[in-house]
Structure formats: structure tokens, C-alpha cells
Amino acid sequence: MTKITIDLDQFEDEFLKFRLEKLIQAAYEKGVEDGIKRFSYPPVLKNSHLAEILQVKMTTVYKITQNPAFPKMQNIKGRYPRDKVFEWIDRNSK
């Protein structure tokens, strides 16, 4: 029977390496998931996209888009810049 000996420093190093690998993998998967959610929408969103993203009814979308701080396309009614909308969501989330 073979005995394996490992000192405490080696054990701590291996444990830390294992934990870091798991943490990095989880962060990577979360980043990919967030990227898919955000960039699966076209660069210019419609009201129907906002309803889906915010998970609200159209009446609520109309209320939200009346907010002067909500990002809108300057010359196109009912269209919203995707990246600015996601930034707005981030800024207005607790």
C-alpha cells in the first residue's frame, strides 16, 4: 500500500487552487450568461423588447418610457438604444 504524505502548506495551496478554479469558472459562466441576455437583443429596442427585458406589461412600459431619464432614440419614436437601456437598468436597480 502506498502512503501519500502532504504537508499543510501544500494542502492549503491545493485547496486554494481548487477554490479559485471554481470561483473563476462560476464568474466566467455568469459573464457568458449576462452577455447572452444583453446582446441577444438588437442594438435598437422596441417596446415589446422592453416588456420582455423588464418582465412587465405594455402599460408599464409606456409609463417607464415617459420618464425623462429613460434613454430614447432622439429622432425615432418608440425606439431605445439597447446598451443605454441596460445601463439605465443597472443604475436604477438596488
Side-chain angles (χ1 to χ4, degrees):
M1 180 180 259
T2 305
K3 285 190 174 185
I4 299 176
T5 57
I6 184 168
D7 65 31
L8 188 56
D9 288 336
Q10 286 176 313
F11 177 76
E12 287 176 344
D13 289 346
E14 289 297 317
F15 182 73
L16 180 60
K17 179 182 172 191
F18 173 77
R19 296 287 298 175
L20 282 173
E21 286 174 352
K22 291 195 72 74
L23 179 65
I24 290 167
Q25 182 65 32
Y28 172 78
E29 290 173 5
K30 176 72 171 134
V32 168
E33 179 183 326
D34 290 348
I36 289 170
K37 284 180 184 175
R38 175 176 265 183
F39 297 109
S40 65
Y41 292 99
V44 177
L45 302 174
K46 299 187 279 186
N47 287 326
S48 59
H49 293 124
L50 294 179
E52 183 179 324
I53 291 166
L54 299 170
Q55 298 178 354
V56 297
K57 294 183 179 184
M58 290 303 286
T59 54
T60 304
V61 169
Y62 298 135
K63 289 177 188 176
I64 291 170
T65 57
Q66 295 305 308
N67 180 338
F70 192 80
K72 301 170 186 72
M73 298 296 290
Q74 190 169 11
N75 297 314
I76 306 171
K77 187 175 179 173
R79 298 294 185 267
Y80 314 92
R82 174 194 63 208
D83 295 339
K84 297 218 182 270
V85 167
F86 279 101
E87 289 171 14
W88 182 89
I89 291 169
D90 290 340
R91 281 192 316 272
N92 290 280
S93 299
K94 291 185 179 182

Coordinates of all heavy atoms in Angstrom, one line a residue:
M1 N 0.8 -1.2 0.0 CA 0.0 0.0 0.0 C 0.9 1.2 0.0 O 1.8 1.3 0.8 CB -0.9 0.0 1.2 CG -1.8 1.2 1.3 SD -2.8 1.1 2.8 CE -4.3 0.5 2.0
T2 N 0.6 2.2 -0.9 CA 1.3 3.4 -1.0 C 0.8 4.5 -0.1 O -0.4 4.7 -0.1 CB 1.3 3.9 -2.4 OG1 1.8 2.9 -3.3 CG2 2.2 5.1 -2.6
K3 N 1.6 5.1 0.7 CA 1.2 6.2 1.5 C 1.5 7.6 0.8 O 2.6 7.7 0.3 CB 1.9 6.2 2.9 CG 1.4 5.1 3.8 CD 2.0 5.3 5.2 CE 1.3 4.4 6.1 NZ 1.7 4.6 7.5
I4 N 0.6 8.5 0.9 CA 0.8 9.8 0.3 C 0.9 10.8 1.5 O 0.0 10.8 2.3 CB -0.4 10.2 -0.6 CG1 -0.4 9.2 -1.8 CG2 -0.2 11.6 -1.1 CD1 -1.6 9.5 -2.7
T5 N 2.0 11.5 1.5 CA 2.1 12.5 2.5 C 2.1 13.9 1.9 O 2.7 14.1 0.8 CB 3.4 12.3 3.3 OG1 4.5 12.3 2.4 CG2 3.4 11.0 4.1
I6 N 1.5 14.8 2.6 CA 1.4 16.1 2.1 C 1.5 17.1 3.3 O 0.8 16.8 4.3 CB 0.1 16.4 1.3 CG1 0.1 17.7 0.7 CG2 -1.1 16.1 2.1 CD1 -1.1 17.9 -0.4
D7 N 2.3 18.1 3.2 CA 2.4 19.0 4.3 C 1.2 20.0 4.3 O 0.5 20.1 3.3 CB 3.7 19.7 4.4 CG 4.1 20.6 3.3 OD1 3.1 21.2 2.7 OD2 5.2 20.7 3.0
L8 N 1.1 20.7 5.3 CA 0.0 21.7 5.5 C 0.0 22.8 4.4 O -1.0 23.2 3.9 CB 0.0 22.3 6.9 CG -1.2 23.2 7.3 CD1 -2.5 22.4 7.1 CD2 -1.1 23.7 8.7
D9 N 1.2 23.3 4.1 CA 1.3 24.3 3.1 C 0.9 23.8 1.7 O 0.2 24.5 1.0 CB 2.8 24.8 3.0 CG 3.2 25.7 4.2 OD1 2.3 26.3 4.8 OD2 4.4 25.8 4.5
Q10 N 1.3 22.6 1.4 CA 0.8 22.0 0.1 C -0.7 21.8 0.1 O -1.3 22.1 -0.9 CB 1.5 20.7 -0.1 CG 3.0 20.7 -0.5 CD 3.6 19.4 -0.6 OE1 3.4 18.5 0.3 NE2 4.3 19.1 -1.7
F11 N -1.2 21.4 1.2 CA -2.7 21.2 1.3 C -3.4 22.5 1.1 O -4.4 22.6 0.3 CB -3.1 20.6 2.6 CG -4.5 20.4 2.8 CD1 -5.2 19.4 2.2 CD2 -5.2 21.3 3.6 CE1 -6.6 19.3 2.3 CE2 -6.6 21.2 3.8 CZ -7.3 20.1 3.1
E12 N -2.9 23.6 1.8 CA -3.6 24.9 1.6 C -3.5 25.4 0.2 O -4.4 26.0 -0.3 CB -2.9 25.9 2.6 CG -3.3 25.6 4.1 CD -2.6 26.6 5.0 OE1 -1.5 27.2 4.6 OE2 -3.0 26.7 6.2
D13 N -2.3 25.2 -0.4 CA -2.1 25.6 -1.8 C -3.1 24.9 -2.7 O -3.7 25.5 -3.6 CB -0.7 25.4 -2.3 CG 0.3 26.3 -1.6 OD1 -0.1 27.3 -1.0 OD2 1.5 26.0 -1.7
E14 N -3.2 23.6 -2.6 CA -4.1 22.8 -3.4 C -5.6 23.2 -3.2 O -6.4 23.3 -4.1 CB -3.9 21.3 -3.2 CG -2.6 20.8 -3.7 CD -2.5 20.9 -5.3 OE1 -3.5 20.6 -6.0 OE2 -1.5 21.3 -5.7
F15 N -5.9 23.4 -1.9 CA -7.3 23.8 -1.6 C -7.6 25.2 -2.2 O -8.7 25.4 -2.8 CB -7.5 23.8 -0.1 CG -8.9 24.2 0.3 CD1 -9.9 23.3 0.1 CD2 -9.2 25.4 0.9 CE1 -11.2 23.6 0.5 CE2 -10.5 25.7 1.3 CZ -11.5 24.8 1.1
L16 N -6.7 26.1 -2.0 CA -6.9 27.5 -2.6 C -7.0 27.4 -4.1 O -7.8 28.1 -4.7 CB -5.7 28.4 -2.2 CG -5.8 29.8 -2.7 CD1 -7.0 30.5 -2.2 CD2 -4.5 30.6 -2.3
K17 N -6.1 26.6 -4.7 CA -6.2 26.5 -6.2 C -7.6 25.9 -6.6 O -8.2 26.4 -7.6 CB -5.1 25.5 -6.7 CG -5.1 25.3 -8.2 CD -4.0 24.3 -8.5 CE -4.1 23.9 -10.0 NZ -3.3 22.8 -10.4
F18 N -8.0 24.9 -5.9 CA -9.3 24.3 -6.2 C -10.4 25.4 -6.1 O -11.3 25.5 -7.0 CB -9.6 23.1 -5.3 CG -11.0 22.6 -5.4 CD1 -11.3 21.7 -6.5 CD2 -11.9 22.8 -4.4 CE1 -12.6 21.2 -6.6 CE2 -13.2 22.3 -4.5 CZ -13.5 21.5 -5.6
R19 N -10.4 26.1 -5.0 CA -11.5 27.1 -4.8 C -11.4 28.2 -5.8 O -12.4 28.7 -6.3 CB -11.3 27.7 -3.4 CG -11.6 26.7 -2.2 CD -13.0 26.4 -2.1 NE -13.7 27.6 -1.7 CZ -15.0 27.7 -1.6 NH1 -15.7 26.6 -1.8 NH2 -15.6 28.8 -1.3
L20 N -10.2 28.7 -6.2 CA -10.1 29.7 -7.2 C -10.6 29.2 -8.5 O -11.2 30.0 -9.3 CB -8.6 30.2 -7.3 CG -8.2 31.1 -6.2 CD1 -6.7 31.4 -6.3 CD2 -8.9 32.4 -6.2
E21 N -10.2 28.0 -8.9 CA -10.7 27.5 -10.2 C -12.2 27.5 -10.2 O -12.8 27.8 -11.2 CB -10.1 26.1 -10.4 CG -8.7 26.1 -10.8 CD -8.1 24.7 -10.9 OE1 -8.8 23.7 -10.5 OE2 -6.9 24.6 -11.3
K22 N -12.9 27.1 -9.1 CA -14.3 27.0 -9.1 C -14.9 28.4 -9.2 O -15.9 28.7 -9.9 CB -14.8 26.3 -7.8 CG -14.5 24.8 -7.9 CD -15.3 24.0 -6.9 CE -16.7 23.8 -7.1 NZ -17.1 22.9 -8.1
L23 N -14.3 29.4 -8.5 CA -14.8 30.8 -8.5 C -14.6 31.4 -9.9 O -15.5 32.0 -10.4 CB -14.0 31.6 -7.4 CG -14.3 33.1 -7.3 CD1 -15.7 33.2 -6.8 CD2 -13.3 33.8 -6.4
I24 N -13.5 31.2 -10.5 CA -13.2 31.7 -11.8 C -14.2 31.1 -12.8 O -14.8 31.8 -13.7 CB -11.8 31.5 -12.3 CG1 -10.9 32.4 -11.4 CG2 -11.6 31.7 -13.7 CD1 -9.4 32.0 -11.5
Q25 N -14.5 29.8 -12.7 CA -15.4 29.1 -13.6 C -16.8 29.7 -13.5 O -17.5 30.0 -14.4 CB -15.4 27.6 -13.4 CG -16.3 26.9 -14.3 CD -15.9 26.9 -15.8 OE1 -14.8 27.0 -16.1 NE2 -16.9 26.9 -16.7
A26 N -17.2 29.9 -12.2 CA -18.6 30.5 -11.9 C -18.7 31.9 -12.5 O -19.7 32.3 -13.1 CB -18.9 30.4 -10.4
A27 N -17.6 32.7 -12.3 CA -17.6 34.1 -12.8 C -17.7 34.1 -14.3 O -18.4 34.9 -14.9 CB -16.4 34.8 -12.3
Y28 N -17.0 33.2 -15.0 CA -17.0 33.1 -16.4 C -18.4 32.7 -16.9 O -18.9 33.3 -17.9 CB -15.9 32.0 -16.9 CG -16.0 31.7 -18.4 CD1 -15.5 32.6 -19.3 CD2 -16.7 30.6 -18.8 CE1 -15.6 32.3 -20.7 CE2 -16.8 30.3 -20.1 CZ -16.2 31.2 -21.1 OH -16.3 30.9 -22.4
E29 N -19.0 31.7 -16.3 CA -20.3 31.3 -16.7 C -21.3 32.4 -16.5 O -22.2 32.6 -17.4 CB -20.7 30.0 -16.0 CG -19.9 28.8 -16.4 CD -20.2 27.6 -15.5 OE1 -21.1 27.6 -14.7 OE2 -19.5 26.6 -15.7
K30 N -21.2 33.1 -15.4 CA -22.1 34.3 -15.2 C -21.9 35.3 -16.2 O -22.9 35.9 -16.8 CB -21.9 34.8 -13.8 CG -22.7 36.0 -13.5 CD -24.2 35.7 -13.3 CE -24.9 36.9 -12.7 NZ -26.1 37.2 -13.4
G31 N -20.7 35.6 -16.6 CA -20.4 36.6 -17.6 C -21.0 36.2 -19.0 O -21.5 37.0 -19.7
V32 N -20.8 35.0 -19.3 CA -21.4 34.5 -20.6 C -22.9 34.6 -20.6 O -23.5 35.0 -21.6 CB -20.9 33.0 -20.9 CG1 -21.7 32.4 -22.0 CG2 -19.4 32.9 -21.1
E33 N -23.5 34.2 -19.5 CA -25.0 34.3 -19.4 C -25.5 35.7 -19.5 O -26.4 36.0 -20.2 CB -25.4 33.7 -18.0 CG -26.9 33.7 -17.7 CD -27.2 33.2 -16.3 OE1 -26.5 32.3 -15.8 OE2 -28.2 33.8 -15.8
D34 N -24.8 36.6 -18.8 CA -25.1 38.0 -18.9 C -25.0 38.6 -20.3 O -25.8 39.3 -20.8 CB -24.3 38.9 -17.9 CG -24.7 38.6 -16.5 OD1 -25.7 38.0 -16.2 OD2 -23.9 39.1 -15.6
G35 N -23.9 38.2 -21.0 CA -23.6 38.6 -22.3 C -24.7 38.1 -23.3 O -25.2 38.8 -24.2
I36 N -25.1 36.9 -23.1 CA -26.1 36.3 -24.0 C -27.4 37.0 -23.8 O -28.1 37.4 -24.8 CB -26.3 34.8 -23.7 CG1 -25.1 34.0 -24.3 CG2 -27.6 34.3 -24.4 CD1 -25.0 32.6 -23.8
K37 N -27.8 37.3 -22.6 CA -29.0 38.0 -22.3 C -29.0 39.4 -22.9 O -30.0 39.8 -23.6 CB -29.3 38.2 -20.8 CG -29.7 36.9 -20.1 CD -29.9 37.2 -18.6 CE -30.3 35.9 -17.9 NZ -30.4 36.1 -16.5
R38 N -27.9 40.1 -22.7 CA -27.8 41.5 -23.1 C -27.7 41.6 -24.7 O -28.4 42.4 -25.3 CB -26.7 42.2 -22.5 CG -26.4 43.6 -23.0 CD -25.4 44.3 -22.3 NE -25.9 45.1 -21.2 CZ -25.3 45.9 -20.4 NH1 -24.0 46.0 -20.5 NH2 -25.9 46.5 -19.4
F39 N -26.8 40.8 -25.2 CA -26.5 41.0 -26.7 C -27.3 40.2 -27.6 O -27.1 40.2 -28.8 CB -25.0 40.8 -26.9 CG -24.2 41.9 -26.2 CD1 -23.4 41.6 -25.1 CD2 -24.2 43.2 -26.6 CE1 -22.7 42.5 -24.4 CE2 -23.5 44.2 -25.9 CZ -22.8 43.8 -24.8
S40 N -28.3 39.4 -27.0 CA -29.2 38.7 -27.9 C -30.3 39.6 -28.5 O -31.0 39.3 -29.4 CB -29.8 37.5 -27.2 OG -30.7 38.0 -26.1
Y41 N -30.4 40.8 -27.9 CA -31.3 41.8 -28.4 C -30.7 42.7 -29.5 O -29.5 42.9 -29.4 CB -31.8 42.7 -27.2 CG -32.7 41.9 -26.3 CD1 -32.2 41.4 -25.1 CD2 -34.0 41.7 -26.6 CE1 -33.0 40.7 -24.2 CE2 -34.8 41.0 -25.7 CZ -34.3 40.5 -24.5 OH -35.1 39.8 -23.6
P42 N -31.4 43.2 -30.4 CA -30.9 44.1 -31.4 C -30.4 45.4 -30.8 O -30.8 45.8 -29.6 CB -32.0 44.4 -32.4 CG -33.3 44.2 -31.5 CD -32.9 43.1 -30.5
P43 N -29.5 46.2 -31.5 CA -29.0 47.4 -30.9 C -30.0 48.5 -30.6 O -29.8 49.3 -29.7 CB -28.0 47.9 -32.0 CG -27.7 46.7 -32.8 CD -28.9 45.8 -32.7
V44 N -31.1 48.4 -31.3 CA -32.2 49.3 -31.1 C -33.5 48.5 -30.6 O -33.9 47.6 -31.4 CB -32.5 50.2 -32.3 CG1 -33.7 51.1 -32.1 CG2 -31.3 51.0 -32.7
L45 N -34.0 48.8 -29.4 CA -35.1 48.0 -28.9 C -36.4 48.7 -29.2 O -36.5 49.9 -29.3 CB -34.9 48.0 -27.4 CG -33.6 47.3 -26.9 CD1 -33.5 47.4 -25.3 CD2 -33.5 45.9 -27.3
K46 N -37.4 47.8 -29.2 CA -38.8 48.3 -29.3 C -39.5 48.1 -28.0 O -38.9 47.5 -27.1 CB -39.6 47.5 -30.4 CG -39.0 47.6 -31.8 CD -39.8 46.9 -32.8 CE -39.5 45.4 -32.8 NZ -40.2 44.7 -33.9
N47 N -40.7 48.6 -27.9 CA -41.5 48.5 -26.7 C -41.7 47.0 -26.3 O -41.6 46.7 -25.1 CB -42.8 49.2 -26.8 CG -42.7 50.7 -26.7 OD1 -41.9 51.2 -26.1 ND2 -43.6 51.3 -27.5
S48 N -41.9 46.2 -27.2 CA -42.0 44.7 -26.9 C -40.8 44.1 -26.3 O -40.9 43.3 -25.4 CB -42.4 44.0 -28.2 OG -41.5 44.1 -29.2
H49 N -39.6 44.6 -26.8 CA -38.3 44.1 -26.2 C -38.3 44.6 -24.7 O -37.9 43.8 -23.8 CB -37.1 44.7 -26.9 CG -37.0 44.2 -28.3 ND1 -36.9 45.0 -29.4 CD2 -36.9 42.9 -28.8 CE1 -36.8 44.3 -30.5 NE2 -36.7 43.0 -30.1
L50 N -38.7 45.8 -24.5 CA -38.6 46.4 -23.1 C -39.5 45.6 -22.2 O -39.2 45.2 -21.0 CB -39.0 47.8 -23.0 CG -38.1 48.8 -23.7 CD1 -38.6 50.2 -23.6 CD2 -36.7 48.7 -23.2
A51 N -40.7 45.2 -22.6 CA -41.6 44.4 -21.9 C -41.0 43.1 -21.5 O -41.1 42.6 -20.4 CB -43.0 44.2 -22.6
E52 N -40.3 42.5 -22.4 CA -39.7 41.2 -22.2 C -38.5 41.3 -21.2 O -38.4 40.5 -20.3 CB -39.2 40.6 -23.5 CG -38.6 39.2 -23.4 CD -38.2 38.7 -24.8 OE1 -38.9 39.0 -25.8 OE2 -37.1 38.0 -24.8
I53 N -37.7 42.3 -21.5 CA -36.5 42.5 -20.6 C -36.9 42.8 -19.2 O -36.3 42.3 -18.2 CB -35.6 43.6 -21.2 CG1 -35.0 43.2 -22.5 CG2 -34.5 44.1 -20.2 CD1 -34.4 44.3 -23.3
L54 N -37.8 43.7 -19.0 CA -38.2 44.2 -17.7 C -39.3 43.3 -17.1 O -39.6 43.4 -15.9 CB -38.8 45.6 -17.8 CG -37.8 46.7 -18.3 CD1 -38.5 48.0 -18.5 CD2 -36.6 46.8 -17.3
Q55 N -39.8 42.4 -17.9 CA -40.9 41.4 -17.4 C -42.1 42.2 -16.9 O -42.5 41.9 -15.7 CB -40.3 40.4 -16.4 CG -39.2 39.6 -17.0 CD -38.6 38.6 -16.0 OE1 -38.9 38.6 -14.8 NE2 -37.7 37.8 -16.5
V56 N -42.6 43.1 -17.7 CA -43.7 43.9 -17.3 C -44.7 44.0 -18.4 O -44.4 43.6 -19.6 CB -43.3 45.4 -16.9 CG1 -42.4 45.4 -15.6 CG2 -42.6 46.1 -18.0
K57 N -45.9 44.5 -18.2 CA -46.9 44.6 -19.2 C -46.6 45.9 -20.0 O -45.9 46.8 -19.5 CB -48.3 44.7 -18.6 CG -48.7 43.3 -17.9 CD -50.1 43.4 -17.4 CE -50.4 42.0 -16.8 NZ -51.8 42.0 -16.3
M58 N -47.3 46.0 -21.2 CA -47.0 47.1 -22.0 C -47.4 48.4 -21.4 O -46.8 49.5 -21.6 CB -47.8 46.9 -23.4 CG -47.2 45.8 -24.3 SD -45.4 46.1 -24.6 CE -45.6 47.4 -25.8
T59 N -48.5 48.4 -20.6 CA -48.9 49.7 -19.9 C -47.8 50.2 -19.0 O -47.5 51.4 -18.9 CB -50.2 49.5 -19.1 OG1 -50.0 48.4 -18.2 CG2 -51.4 49.2 -20.0
T60 N -47.0 49.3 -18.4 CA -45.9 49.7 -17.5 C -44.8 50.2 -18.4 O -44.1 51.1 -18.0 CB -45.5 48.5 -16.6 OG1 -46.6 48.0 -15.9 CG2 -44.3 48.9 -15.7
V61 N -44.5 49.5 -19.5 CA -43.5 50.0 -20.5 C -43.8 51.5 -20.8 O -42.9 52.3 -20.8 CB -43.4 49.1 -21.7 CG1 -42.5 49.8 -22.8 CG2 -42.9 47.8 -21.4
Y62 N -45.0 51.8 -21.2 CA -45.4 53.1 -21.6 C -45.1 54.1 -20.4 O -44.6 55.2 -20.6 CB -46.8 53.2 -22.0 CG -47.1 52.4 -23.2 CD1 -48.3 51.6 -23.3 CD2 -46.3 52.4 -24.3 CE1 -48.5 50.8 -24.4 CE2 -46.5 51.6 -25.4 CZ -47.6 50.8 -25.5 OH -47.9 50.0 -26.6
K63 N -45.4 53.7 -19.2 CA -45.1 54.6 -18.0 C -43.6 54.8 -17.9 O -43.2 55.9 -17.6 CB -45.7 54.0 -16.8 CG -47.2 54.0 -16.7 CD -47.7 53.3 -15.4 CE -49.2 53.2 -15.4 NZ -49.7 52.4 -14.3
I64 N -42.9 53.7 -18.0 CA -41.4 53.8 -17.8 C -40.8 54.7 -18.9 O -39.9 55.5 -18.6 CB -40.8 52.4 -17.8 CG1 -41.2 51.6 -16.6 CG2 -39.2 52.5 -17.9 CD1 -40.8 50.2 -16.6
T65 N -41.2 54.5 -20.1 CA -40.6 55.3 -21.2 C -41.0 56.8 -21.2 O -40.4 57.6 -21.9 CB -40.9 54.7 -22.6 OG1 -42.4 54.6 -22.7 CG2 -40.3 53.3 -22.7
Q66 N -42.0 57.1 -20.4 CA -42.3 58.5 -20.2 C -41.4 59.3 -19.3 O -41.3 60.5 -19.2 CB -43.8 58.7 -19.7 CG -44.8 58.2 -20.7 CD -44.7 58.9 -22.1 OE1 -44.7 60.1 -22.2 NE2 -44.6 58.1 -23.1
N67 N -40.6 58.5 -18.5 CA -39.6 59.1 -17.6 C -38.6 59.8 -18.4 O -38.0 59.2 -19.3 CB -39.0 58.0 -16.8 CG -38.0 58.4 -15.8 OD1 -37.4 59.5 -15.9 ND2 -37.7 57.6 -14.8
P68 N -38.4 61.1 -18.2 CA -37.4 61.9 -19.0 C -36.0 61.3 -18.9 O -35.2 61.5 -19.8 CB -37.4 63.3 -18.3 CG -38.6 63.3 -17.5 CD -39.0 61.9 -17.2
A69 N -35.6 60.5 -17.8 CA -34.3 60.0 -17.7 C -34.1 58.7 -18.4 O -33.0 58.2 -18.6 CB -34.0 59.7 -16.2
F70 N -35.2 58.1 -18.9 CA -35.1 56.8 -19.7 C -34.5 57.1 -21.0 O -34.9 58.0 -21.7 CB -36.5 56.2 -19.8 CG -36.4 54.7 -20.3 CD1 -36.1 53.7 -19.4 CD2 -36.6 54.4 -21.6 CE1 -36.0 52.4 -19.8 CE2 -36.5 53.1 -22.1 CZ -36.2 52.1 -21.1
P71 N -33.5 56.3 -21.5 CA -32.9 56.5 -22.7 C -33.8 56.3 -23.9 O -34.5 55.2 -24.0 CB -31.7 55.5 -22.7 CG -32.1 54.5 -21.7 CD -33.0 55.1 -20.7
K72 N -33.8 57.2 -24.9 CA -34.6 57.1 -26.1 C -33.8 57.5 -27.3 O -32.8 58.2 -27.2 CB -35.8 58.1 -26.0 CG -36.7 57.8 -24.8 CD -37.7 59.0 -24.7 CE -38.6 58.9 -23.5 NZ -37.9 59.2 -22.2
M73 N -34.2 57.0 -28.4 CA -33.6 57.4 -29.7 C -34.1 58.9 -29.9 O -35.3 59.2 -29.7 CB -34.0 56.5 -30.8 CG -33.5 55.1 -30.7 SD -31.8 54.9 -30.7 CE -31.3 55.3 -32.4
Q74 N -33.2 59.7 -30.4 CA -33.6 61.1 -30.5 C -34.6 61.4 -31.5 O -35.6 62.2 -31.3 CB -32.3 61.9 -30.8 CG -32.5 63.4 -30.7 CD -31.2 64.2 -30.8 OE1 -30.2 63.6 -31.1 NE2 -31.2 65.4 -30.4
N75 N -34.6 60.8 -32.7 CA -35.5 61.1 -33.8 C -36.4 60.0 -34.2 O -37.1 60.1 -35.2 CB -34.7 61.6 -35.0 CG -33.9 62.8 -34.7 OD1 -34.4 63.8 -34.1 ND2 -32.6 62.8 -35.1
I76 N -36.4 58.9 -33.4 CA -37.3 57.8 -33.7 C -38.1 57.5 -32.5 O -37.6 57.0 -31.5 CB -36.4 56.5 -34.2 CG1 -35.5 56.9 -35.3 CG2 -37.4 55.4 -34.6 CD1 -34.5 55.8 -35.6
K77 N -39.4 57.7 -32.7 CA -40.3 57.4 -31.5 C -40.5 55.9 -31.3 O -40.6 55.1 -32.2 CB -41.7 58.0 -31.9 CG -42.6 58.0 -30.7 CD -43.9 58.7 -31.0 CE -44.8 58.6 -29.8 NZ -46.1 59.4 -30.0
G78 N -40.5 55.5 -30.0 CA -40.7 54.1 -29.6 C -39.5 53.2 -29.9 O -39.7 52.0 -29.9
R79 N -38.3 53.8 -30.0 CA -37.1 53.0 -30.1 C -36.1 53.5 -29.1 O -36.0 54.7 -28.8 CB -36.5 53.2 -31.5 CG -37.4 52.7 -32.6 CD -37.6 51.2 -32.5 NE -38.4 50.6 -33.6 CZ -39.7 50.5 -33.6 NH1 -40.4 50.8 -32.6 NH2 -40.4 50.0 -34.6
Y80 N -35.3 52.5 -28.6 CA -34.5 52.8 -27.4 C -33.1 52.1 -27.6 O -33.1 50.9 -28.1 CB -35.1 52.2 -26.2 CG -36.6 52.6 -26.1 CD1 -37.6 51.8 -26.6 CD2 -36.9 53.8 -25.6 CE1 -38.9 52.2 -26.6 CE2 -38.3 54.2 -25.5 CZ -39.3 53.4 -26.0 OH -40.6 53.8 -26.0
P81 N -32.0 52.8 -27.4 CA -30.7 52.2 -27.5 C -30.4 51.1 -26.5 O -30.4 51.4 -25.3 CB -29.7 53.4 -27.4 CG -30.5 54.4 -26.6 CD -31.9 54.2 -26.9
R82 N -30.2 49.9 -27.0 CA -30.1 48.7 -26.1 C -29.1 48.9 -25.0 O -29.4 48.7 -23.8 CB -29.6 47.5 -26.9 CG -29.3 46.3 -26.1 CD -28.6 45.2 -26.9 NE -27.3 45.7 -27.3 CZ -26.6 45.3 -28.3 NH1 -27.1 44.4 -29.1 NH2 -25.5 45.8 -28.7
D83 N -27.8 49.3 -25.3 CA -26.8 49.4 -24.3 C -27.1 50.5 -23.2 O -26.9 50.3 -22.0 CB -25.4 49.7 -24.9 CG -25.0 48.5 -25.8 OD1 -25.5 47.4 -25.6 OD2 -24.2 48.7 -26.7
K84 N -27.7 51.6 -23.6 CA -28.1 52.6 -22.7 C -29.3 52.1 -21.8 O -29.3 52.5 -20.6 CB -28.4 53.9 -23.4 CG -27.2 54.5 -24.2 CD -27.2 55.9 -24.1 CE -26.0 56.5 -24.9 NZ -24.9 56.7 -24.1
V85 N -30.2 51.3 -22.4 CA -31.3 50.8 -21.6 C -30.7 49.9 -20.5 O -31.1 50.0 -19.3 CB -32.3 50.0 -22.5 CG1 -33.2 49.2 -21.6 CG2 -33.0 51.0 -23.4
F86 N -29.8 49.0 -20.8 CA -29.2 48.1 -19.8 C -28.4 48.9 -18.8 O -28.4 48.6 -17.6 CB -28.3 47.0 -20.5 CG -29.2 45.9 -21.0 CD1 -29.5 45.8 -22.3 CD2 -29.7 44.9 -20.1 CE1 -30.3 44.7 -22.8 CE2 -30.5 43.9 -20.6 CZ -30.7 43.8 -21.9
E87 N -27.7 50.0 -19.2 CA -27.1 50.9 -18.2 C -28.1 51.5 -17.3 O -27.9 51.6 -16.1 CB -26.2 52.0 -19.0 CG -25.0 51.4 -19.7 CD -24.4 52.5 -20.6 OE1 -24.7 53.7 -20.5 OE2 -23.5 52.1 -21.4
W88 N -29.2 52.0 -17.9 CA -30.3 52.6 -17.1 C -30.8 51.6 -16.1 O -31.0 52.0 -14.9 CB -31.4 53.1 -18.0 CG -32.5 53.8 -17.3 CD1 -32.6 55.1 -17.0 CD2 -33.7 53.1 -16.8 NE1 -33.8 55.3 -16.3 CE2 -34.5 54.2 -16.2 CE3 -34.2 51.8 -16.8 CZ2 -35.7 53.9 -15.6 CZ3 -35.4 51.6 -16.2 CH2 -36.2 52.6 -15.6
I89 N -31.0 50.4 -16.5 CA -31.5 49.3 -15.6 C -30.5 49.1 -14.4 O -30.8 49.1 -13.3 CB -31.7 48.0 -16.3 CG1 -32.9 48.1 -17.3 CG2 -31.9 46.8 -15.3 CD1 -33.1 47.0 -18.2
D90 N -29.2 49.1 -14.8 CA -28.2 48.9 -13.7 C -28.1 50.1 -12.7 O -28.1 49.9 -11.5 CB -26.8 48.8 -14.4 CG -26.6 47.5 -15.1 OD1 -27.3 46.5 -14.8 OD2 -25.7 47.4 -15.9
R91 N -28.3 51.3 -13.3 CA -28.3 52.5 -12.4 C -29.5 52.6 -11.5 O -29.5 53.1 -10.5 CB -28.2 53.8 -13.2 CG -26.8 54.1 -13.8 CD -26.7 55.5 -14.3 NE -27.8 55.9 -15.2 CZ -27.9 55.7 -16.5 NH1 -27.0 55.1 -17.1 NH2 -29.0 56.1 -17.1
N92 N -30.6 52.0 -12.0 CA -31.9 52.2 -11.3 C -32.3 50.9 -10.6 O -33.5 50.7 -10.2 CB -33.0 52.6 -12.3 CG -32.7 54.0 -12.7 OD1 -33.1 55.0 -12.0 ND2 -32.1 54.2 -13.9
S93 N -31.3 50.0 -10.3 CA -31.6 48.8 -9.6 C -30.9 48.8 -8.2 O -29.8 49.4 -8.1 CB -31.1 47.6 -10.4 OG -31.7 47.5 -11.6
K94 N -31.6 48.3 -7.2 CA -31.0 48.2 -5.9 C -30.1 47.0 -5.8 O -30.3 46.0 -6.3 CB -32.1 48.2 -4.8 CG -32.8 49.5 -4.8 CD -33.8 49.5 -3.6 CE -34.5 50.8 -3.6 NZ -35.5 50.8 -2.5

